[in-house]
Amino acid sequence: MKDTLTEGRGTAADTAKIAVRGLQVHYGDTHAVRDVDVDIPDRAVTALIGPSGCGKSTFLRCLNRMNDTIPAARVTGEIRIDGEDIHDARVDPVQLRAKVGMVFQKPNPFPKSIRDNVAYGPKIHGLTRKRSELDEVVEKSLRRAALWDEVKNRLDAPGTGLSGGQQQRLCIARAIATSPEILLMDEPCSSLDPIATAQIEELIDELRSRFAVVIVTHSMQQAARVSQRTAFFHLGRMVEYGDTGKLFTNPADPRTESYITGRIG
Amino acid sequence: MTATSTLLTLLVIAASGFVLARARALACAGGDSRALHSLPGHYGWASVLLTLGPALALFALLKIAAPPTPAGTLAVLALALAALAWSLRRTRPNFRARQTVERGVLALLMLAACVAIATTAGIVLSMLFETRNFFAQYDWREFFLSTTWAPRFQGDSDLGILPLLWGTLYISLIALVFAVPVGLFAAIYMAEYAGGRFRAIVKPAIEVLAGIPTIVYGLFALITVGPLLRDYFAQPLGLGTSGASVMTAGLVMGVMLIPFVSSLSDDIIAQVPQSLRDGSLGLGATRSETIRQVVLPAALPGIVGAVLLAASRAIGETMIVVLGAGAAAKLGLNPFEAMTTITVKIVSQLTGESDFAAPETLVAFALGLTLFAITLSLNVLALAIVRKYREQYE
Ligand SMILES: Nc1ncnc2c1ncn2[C@@H]1O[C@H](COP(=O)(O)OP(=O)(O)OP(=O)(O)O)[C@@H](O)[C@H]1O
Ligand SMILES: [Mg+2]
């Protein structure tokens, strides 16, 4: 898998799952994302790194049009997923979001039972009808999110009663239960212990065989461990994007180098 | 000396206490307020509290216990002066005046809280007392179980609460069946869909409804809604010829309740964190699915509270019923018939030439107490529901 990703940028565009051109995002007067062009490959993990407030979450939210829900946000530019412009009038954001799943920066479990949290997506999309199938999906998703053993005896307890790290994994389970084609993860391990982090990284590695995964992280080590490609954002611009190994060992831009060696951010 | 001048004198004594204690504290410390335990003002206030507190208490006691006498007034003033002298003696740099003042403030706040509780207790007690008088003259089984309400001022009346209770519940039910969905949907629209401009106009407009006096609603029921329902529904359907009907009062009361439901629910829905909506939308749910499955369940305790609040308003409403549903006590199912409620009968039993020893008058207190019990249990129920869901969701 890794070998196929060491190709140059030109060829990546041909297999790009997501192609972004000239993306700009404004929040009122704040210019949060500037001139971003990027091709995100399928069946690979792309990491977004950069200092706080540089626009990583904003960029991520563009990919499933979650910025539509923020009245102040204005998105311009082109984003194509599988060659289709997601801002096209014919594209239904609801369908898009079913295809492009998202794990948010802050855990946001619904005020429902743990089971219902995970079953939420499959239920509204009518993926499963029978209770037994639903239970199966719930168990599988929770296992993959490394949460099953901790909650298997209290599936009917409210999801909001879990610890912060457990909530984060519940939200991951909830997102993968709908089997999206692309999974956007905004700092999914920010409140996890090393063991749970390792389990989530394993999950991400496994997801890569079928999905495109885009992950925002503040941990350089994590980006290096799980991703094949890395994009470095700084002040709303994507400063550098390329093969993860190369970006960390031999960054082209001095700003990238300062950031990964800990001098800015 | 009149009570007013006594009180004024007390105030003067207290004010001089403030000035004296403050000055004395400063003098003791040699003008350097840092040598004092508390701020100079604290010493002044402590003196005021010590002077006024006991004197006012004695004043109130004497007032309740006996007609005012010059001796009593003198005793009050003497107590105040003695307390003033004592408080001045205590004003030394190490006197913990701040603590005294804090305790005084606490006592004042507790007193305010007690006024509310004492009033409630007083109301209940007076009702209980009169109700006991009523049940001494009238069999309680008759009152609670008889299905006829026919007071006769010559005596020998039938005073069964059931027709009135039925009317109350029937009208309230119609009002709620109308107001809850309309109010809730309006709230959902305003909180989730409406743009800022629309919201800025419509929200205050709906709230104006809450400010209309109920007598005006009553007039609206009497001259507009009643005849309309009679001419277009009741008569064509052969259900009656009365303009005053359960339906008229219920609908108009429903309109009155809309702002209660909508305004409270709107605030509650707006408080549901955006992150929950994002979570649901991010999974590919539509807006209405998100509202139904995530937003409303999260807002449910508050909405239940709003509905129960509206219910107690409906049960206690009088004016709309008198003008909209009439004053005929009746047990029936036809919503186009005139009926009446507990509140209306309380008013009619107490107005006119009432003899406060006859059961026909005293029954008003029994009715009132029953009404109070109903609204109280509604409120308790509301609290219990809200608490239950809180536990589940937070
Ligand atoms: N809803 C919003 N309204 C207005 N401005 C916003 C909003 N969300 C983000 N911003 C602004 O956009 C810029 C980028 O924010 P963003 O959340 O994308 O940063 P980030 O890279 O994800 O940071 P972090 O690592 O701290 O999560 C910031 O300057 C932020 O203040
Ligand atoms: Mg972020």
Side-chain angles (χ1 to χ4, degrees), chain B residues 217-276:
Chain B
Y217 280 110
L219 291 176
F220 177 58
L222 182 71
I223 57 177
T224 315
V225 179
L228 218 73
L229 284 178
R230 180 190 58 208
D231 297 344
Y232 292 98
F233 289 94
Q235 277 178 344
L237 294 173
L239 286 173
T241 54
S242 153
S245 70
V246 171
M247 205 54 155
T248 309
L251 285 183
V252 175
M253 204 190 277
V255 175
M256 176 195 83
L257 294 179
I258 288 174
F260 282 89
V261 180
S262 82
S263 169
L264 279 174
S265 310
D266 179 18
D267 292 344
I268 290 154
I269 291 172
Q271 274 167 21
V272 173
Q274 181 61 28
S275 67
L276 286 185

Side-chain angles (χ1 to χ4, degrees), chain A residues 181-230:
Chain A
E181 287 176 32
I182 298 171
L183 190 61
L184 311 175
M185 304 175 103
D186 201 342
E187 297 183 41
C189 302
S190 58
S191 46
L192 299 191
D193 62 37
I195 299 171
T197 303
Q199 284 168 314
I200 295 302
E201 288 179 2
E202 221 168 274
L203 167 72
I204 294 172
D205 207 53
E206 175 207 319
L207 293 174
R208 170 164 76 90
S209 62
R210 279 177 295 153
F211 307 145
V213 179
V214 185
I215 174 174
V216 172
T217 176
H218 280 295
S219 154
M220 272 5 113
Q221 290 83 353
Q222 182 170 60
R225 277 194 304 264
V226 300
S227 74
Q228 284 73 52
R229 304 211 138 228
T230 301

